[in-house]
Amino acid sequence: MAGDAQTGVLDTAWGQIPHSQQTTAGIGSFTRSRVERIISLVAGGFGSLILGLQSFLSALGPAPERPGWHLPLMVVVFGALGVMVLACVIGRAVRPAAGVFAIVYVLVLMVWPIATAGVQPPTTDEPWIWYLLNLATLAAVLAFPFPLQIAFTIALPLLFGVVRIIQVGFAPEYWPVVILDVTFALLLGGVILTLGWLFRSVAVNVDKTRAQAVSSYAQAAAADAAEQERVAVAALMHDSVLAALIAAERATTPRERTLAATMAREALTRLANTEQDEHEGPDEPWLPVALAEEIAQAARELGVDVDVQREIDPDAPPIPGRVARAIALAATQAIANALQHAGGAGLGVVLRAAYGTVRVEVHDAGEGFDLDAVPDDRLGIRASIIARVAAVGGRADLESGPHGTVVRLTWQEPSS
């Protein structure tokens, strides 16, 4: 029950972090979405804008196409490129826009021999469409799965080399330039492809590691919550149920019967409030004085008046509510043990509170006992005192001998 609640809290907290639409292991591709955004903004946005302007300025020069082809090709190619750049900058519809540009560029390359048929290139310089070659590779990296990215990276430069050779009529003087252009495009495209794959792989591994870490923490938190719940339930059963039944069975005097009846009422009350009293009380801070009064009141409910001696530093801060509640219940159990096993002889309680430290001592003058000899199924000390205080970060020390028993409960504020 507590473990499920803890896991639910973690899921709710993780849900407050913005994720992309892709999810991995129920946690979300947090890093992957940011890497995609960086790639699209830096490379697809600003990088494409710079290279696109270079190609556009080149296209404003002498047209290598036949009349009627130059302007439509420019409108189609640069229109698709402009849409991709805009999508990358605003971070919306990046994949569709990049995919459209990559496909448009392939189609333009395929019709390039037709558009330039019969036109002698004015120089051996690359045509304006050359400057968009690696932008089409980048668009494929942004839009397509990895196998298709590889295909585009290899096929686009080769396709450009073929159409360029066809355009120049297989003239030998163009072959070295075309081969150099194709080689450069293959190398640069490989770099773009590798960087995209590398960044995405690192992001996926980071997300996977984060998901595993959150899952491990959730399991550890659930196990810790379950253990705390087990301790609380064990203590509750001993304090409120078993103790009341044992006291009722052994009651032979009016005082013992009164004590048994009081313990039974306490058992019914605590059982009724189990769900509302999660972790044994709310976490509103307690003043040390309030803790002393709570212990004295609990002793009165057990049928004995105990003067709780107080050594409280005026500057002592309040105590966290769960800590104070655990100490009060553990002290109450120690008092009940003294009444039950020592007849309340020499019973006394001392509370000391200084800055960041609280100590409660319960002592009696009974015959004492051997803690190691107490059966494992007796939970009055192990669960109701030692485990209860340990669950809130405190410590319980017991000394018992022929001259009595001393139970010391200590809690110290963790250092930040």
Side-chain angles (χ1 to χ4, degrees):
M1 179 173 63
D4 294 340
Q6 184 71 30
T7 303
V9 171
L10 289 172
D11 291 341
T12 302
W14 185 264
Q16 305 304 315
I17 301 176
H19 305 310
S20 67
Q21 293 181 353
Q22 298 176 343
T23 58
T24 56
I27 297 298
S29 52
F30 185 75
T31 306
R32 173 68 183 269
S33 66
R34 272 132 188 86
V35 168
E36 291 289 347
R37 180 66 182 128
I38 292 172
I39 293 175
S40 64
L41 182 61
V42 175
F46 299 118
S48 298
L49 180 62
I50 294 173
L51 293 179
L53 286 175
Q54 181 183 9
S55 177
F56 183 77
L57 293 176
S58 177
L60 295 179
E65 303 92 345
R66 293 189 299 169
W69 281 90
H70 184 63
L71 183 60
L73 290 179
M74 286 187 60
V75 171
V76 172
V77 173
F78 288 108
L81 177 61
V83 172
M84 185 186 82
V85 170
L86 180 61
C88 290
V89 171
I90 65 176
R92 295 289 186 274
V94 174
R95 287 187 174 184
V100 168
F101 173 70
I103 294 173
V104 166
Y105 186 80
V106 171
L107 295 176
V108 170
L109 274 183
M110 293 177 67
V111 302
W112 187 257
I114 300 174
T116 58
V119 179
Q120 183 64 29
T123 65
T124 58
D125 294 336
E126 295 83 358
W128 62 270
I129 197 172
W130 150 256
Y131 299 101
L132 299 176
L133 180 57
N134 286 120
L135 289 187
T137 301
L138 174 62
V141 171
L142 292 174
F144 302 135
F146 190 66
L148 200 54
Q149 296 174 27
I150 298 176
F152 263 76
T153 302
I154 297 174
L156 282 178
L158 297 178
L159 179 61
F160 172 81
V162 171
V163 300
R164 179 65 170 158
I165 290 297
I166 294 175
Q167 176 192 358
V168 300
F170 299 92
E173 64 268 20
Y174 283 93
W175 280 82
V177 177
V178 173
I179 293 175
L180 184 63
D181 289 342
V182 171
T183 302
F184 177 79
L186 284 171
L187 292 176
L188 184 56
V191 171
I192 294 173
L193 175 67
T194 302
L195 289 176
W197 171 83
L198 179 63
F199 290 148
R200 285 167 171 166
S201 298
V202 171
V204 169
N205 289 334
V206 170
D207 285 326
K208 182 178 179 181
T209 302
R210 177 186 287 109
Q212 292 174 347
V214 171
S215 177
S216 298
Y217 175 78
Q219 293 175 2
D224 179 70
E227 176 62 19
Q228 292 191 25
E229 184 176 8
R230 185 194 66 79
V231 170
V233 170
L236 173 62
M237 289 297 295
H238 177 273
D239 295 353
S240 301
V241 179
L242 295 180
L245 293 175
I246 293 173
E249 179 186 8
R250 297 178 179 178
T252 57
T253 66
R255 179 183 176 182
E256 291 175 347
R257 294 189 185 96
T258 301
L259 176 61
T262 301
M263 294 174 67
R265 285 194 297 269
E266 174 71 11
L268 292 174
T269 301
R270 294 191 63 192
L271 286 173
N273 295 332
T274 300
E275 293 298 327
Q276 292 77 19
D277 196 26
E278 185 179 6
H279 297 292
E280 297 192 337
D283 205 24
E284 288 81 7
W286 288 30
L287 292 174
V289 173
L291 176 57
E293 294 175 352
E294 175 70 14
I295 295 174
Q297 176 61 30
R300 284 192 292 271
E301 292 178 357
L302 292 175
V304 60
D305 289 326
V306 177
D307 182 16
V308 180
Q309 299 181 28
R310 307 172 188 184
E311 300 176 9
I312 301 175
D313 190 325
D315 297 329
I319 310 165
R322 290 191 176 93
V323 174
R325 178 66 172 167
I327 292 176
L329 289 172
T332 302
Q333 181 60 42
I335 294 172
N337 288 347
L339 292 175
Q340 183 175 356
H341 302 292
L347 179 61
V349 180
V350 180
L351 184 146
R352 298 181 179 91
Y355 188 82
T357 303
V358 178
R359 292 186 176 90
V360 175
E361 178 182 301
V362 180
H363 57 266
D364 64 58
E367 297 179 356
F369 65 97
D370 183 3
L371 179 60
D372 294 333
V374 177
D376 292 338
D377 58 350
R378 301 299 299 272
L379 305 178
I381 295 177
R382 292 186 177 90
S384 299
I385 298 179
I386 297 176
R388 171 177 278 147
V389 176
V392 295
R395 188 180 74 253
D397 299 311
L398 287 86
E399 295 180 5
S400 186
H403 302 293
T405 299
V406 180
V407 178
R408 295 185 180 91
L409 312 174
T410 305
W411 178 82
Q412 187 170 3
E413 184 177 2
S415 58
S416 56

